Amino acid sequence: MSLAQFFRDNPDIRYIMFGGKGGLGKTTFSAAAAHWLAERGYRVLVFSVDPQASLSDIFERDIFGRGEVEIGPNLYACEIDADRRIAEYQEEVRQKIRDMYGMDQIPDEIENYIRAASAEPAMEESAIFDQVVDIVVKGGYDYYIYDLVPLGHALYYLSMASVYDAWITRITGLREEMRKYDAVVATIRREKETEEDRILNELIYIRDRINKSSSILTDPQRTAFFFVVTPEEMVIEDTIKAAGLFSKYEVPIRGYVVNRVVPPALLEQDIPEYLRNRILMQRGNMDRIHREFAGRILAQVPEMERDIRGMIMIDKMAGVLFGNSGGCLE
């Protein structure tokens, strides 16, 4: 089956993820897939959850931190500014403290804690995850293309939904227990809503948002995850291991895209020895790829003559990735 055929056969799948090791072509394929779908009349958003994202480079547009930027007809792209999101978090926390305790100024001790917590290594991923939840919950597009972070971080990212959910469920349970007593006190004081009510309601709101986002990530009816792999031994090994780990998170892996394949036909020509050896090396690794991922390879992309940048090269890549297939998906 080709990648184009996959989309035709699965019209309800609207959340697309490209994942794999760093530097294999995830961002390139995300941009090309978004372009291909937009060309067929669908409103598409491609966004990166990678702090080192390069969608700006590929589209040759400065989109970092600018929200959902229109690249062309039906095509939008977004690179999340995690630092700005963290700064917004900090200010939200300060404002809630001011409102709850009637403070005009945040005490130095609390301010230092807010800054220290924001410097935690996981805060950047958390900020990006929260922004992605915003994007998904808001809706407005036919297709969402996720350009995922490299493998290790992607697993962390995908696990965050379940970690957040478990943590908030626990906190919410405690709050609900406390509310029984607070409700009595509030009745005696003739207060309609306690402070604990507001905290509990906010926790429930956060949990509902995360559940909605995480349910999409693991829904095989709406979501498809494609691994990007190259014909290199270490990449194949890592991909096999990662596929097993991703399955534990119930990520719906739907296929593999093999990138940077040097055309074997070059062996018929007078080519440098190093290139001949590379083709022979890839030939052996391609045999293994076909054995390991039998029946699930949706596209094979050759080594391109230059970097994929600008709409002309993105269009060319989309043609290769989808086999120059035209027409509507339905």
Side-chain angles (χ1 to χ4, degrees):
M1 178 188 294
S2 70
L3 198 55
Q5 188 64 45
F6 175 87
F7 279 94
R8 289 195 188 92
D9 291 350
N10 297 276
D12 293 331
I13 285 183
R14 297 305 171 104
Y15 300 89
I16 313 300
M17 302 180 200
F18 286 95
K21 285 172 66 77
L24 299 187
K26 298 186 300 295
T27 307
T28 299
F29 292 156
S30 297
H35 168 67
W36 188 81
L37 289 164
E39 285 266 284
R40 278 146 187 82
Y42 296 99
R43 184 176 165 86
V44 185
L45 174 66
V46 54
F47 59 93
S48 180
V49 299
D50 188 348
Q52 306 299 320
S54 54
L55 283 174
S56 285
D57 294 334
I58 287 179
F59 286 120
E60 296 184 321
R61 293 273 299 274
D62 180 13
I63 62 172
F64 181 73
R66 298 176 183 272
E68 295 154 33
V69 177
E70 184 173 7
I71 302 297
N74 300 317
L75 177 57
Y76 296 79
C78 176
E79 278 184 348
I80 297 167
D81 184 347
D83 289 339
R84 187 162 70 185
R85 188 70 172 177
I86 291 170
E88 290 172 355
Y89 273 157
Q90 291 176 323
E91 188 49 35
E92 285 175 16
V93 171
R94 292 188 189 101
Q95 191 57 49
K96 285 173 182 172
I97 291 173
R98 292 189 197 102
D99 292 343
M100 289 180 66
Y101 299 101
M103 295 178 175
D104 294 326
Q105 187 171 357
I106 303 297
D108 289 343
E109 186 177 348
I110 296 177
E111 178 62 34
N112 291 338
Y113 175 78
I114 292 172
R115 291 181 178 178
S118 301
E120 289 290 327
M123 183 56 73
E124 188 174 53
E125 285 91 346
S126 300
I128 292 174
F129 178 81
D130 192 61
Q131 182 76 54
V132 172
V133 172
D134 274 351
I135 290 171
V136 172
V137 170
K138 185 176 69 174
Y141 294 92
D142 297 315
Y143 282 92
Y144 295 83
I145 313 290
Y146 295 63
D147 170 26
L148 284 177
V149 287
L151 289 175
H153 287 286
L155 285 168
Y156 175 78
Y157 170 79
L158 292 168
S159 69
M160 284 178 72
S162 58
V163 171
Y164 276 0
D165 183 49
W167 178 74
I168 290 176
T169 297
R170 178 175 171 75
I171 297 296
T172 303
L174 292 173
R175 288 294 186 193
E176 285 175 338
E177 286 295 316
M178 292 171 65
R179 185 158 65 171
K180 296 176 185 174
Y181 304 102
D182 295 329
V184 175
V185 175
T187 300
I188 294 172
R189 293 178 179 175
R190 297 183 178 179
E191 296 172 351
K192 292 182 179 178
E193 185 179 44
T194 66
E195 292 296 341
E196 297 298 341
D197 280 332
R198 289 200 288 271
I199 294 171
L200 178 59
N201 290 338
E202 184 159 345
L203 287 170
I204 292 172
Y205 168 73
I206 293 170
R207 185 179 62 185
D208 289 346
R209 272 168 33 94
I210 291 172
N211 281 342
K212 184 171 183 178
S213 177
S214 61
S215 68
I216 289 172
L217 292 176
T218 56
D219 184 351
Q221 303 302 316
R222 293 184 290 172
T223 303
F225 182 96
F226 302 112
F227 265 114
V228 180
V229 61
T230 56
E232 297 170 69
E233 188 174 352
M234 290 304 296
V235 174
I236 298 169
E237 292 286 349
D238 288 344
T239 303
I240 293 170
K241 291 175 185 173
L245 291 171
F246 274 51
S247 295
K248 291 182 179 177
Y249 289 105
E250 300 180 341
V251 176
I253 301 171
R254 304 303 295 270
Y256 296 80
V257 176
V258 187
N259 194 18
R260 295 178 186 160
V261 180
V262 182
L266 291 176
L267 290 173
E268 306 298 324
Q269 302 178 21
D270 183 19
I271 57 175
E273 191 64 21
Y274 81 90
L275 183 56
R276 181 174 299 278
N277 290 336
R278 183 160 186 78
I279 294 171
L280 293 174
M281 179 271 291
Q282 284 199 351
R283 174 182 285 177
N285 288 330
M286 284 300 297
D287 289 342
R288 186 179 180 197
I289 285 174
H290 283 287
R291 287 196 307 273
E292 297 285 355
F293 312 126
R296 305 182 75 184
I297 298 171
L298 301 178
Q300 183 171 307
V301 178
E303 186 79 71
M304 304 296 276
E305 70 273 16
R306 64 185 178 91
D307 291 342
I308 308 299
R309 288 193 175 195
M311 294 310 298
I312 293 176
M313 285 302 292
I314 291 173
D315 183 66
K316 183 174 182 177
M317 175 57 80
V320 174
L321 190 61
F322 290 92
N324 291 309
S325 178
C328 295
L329 297 180
E330 291 84 1

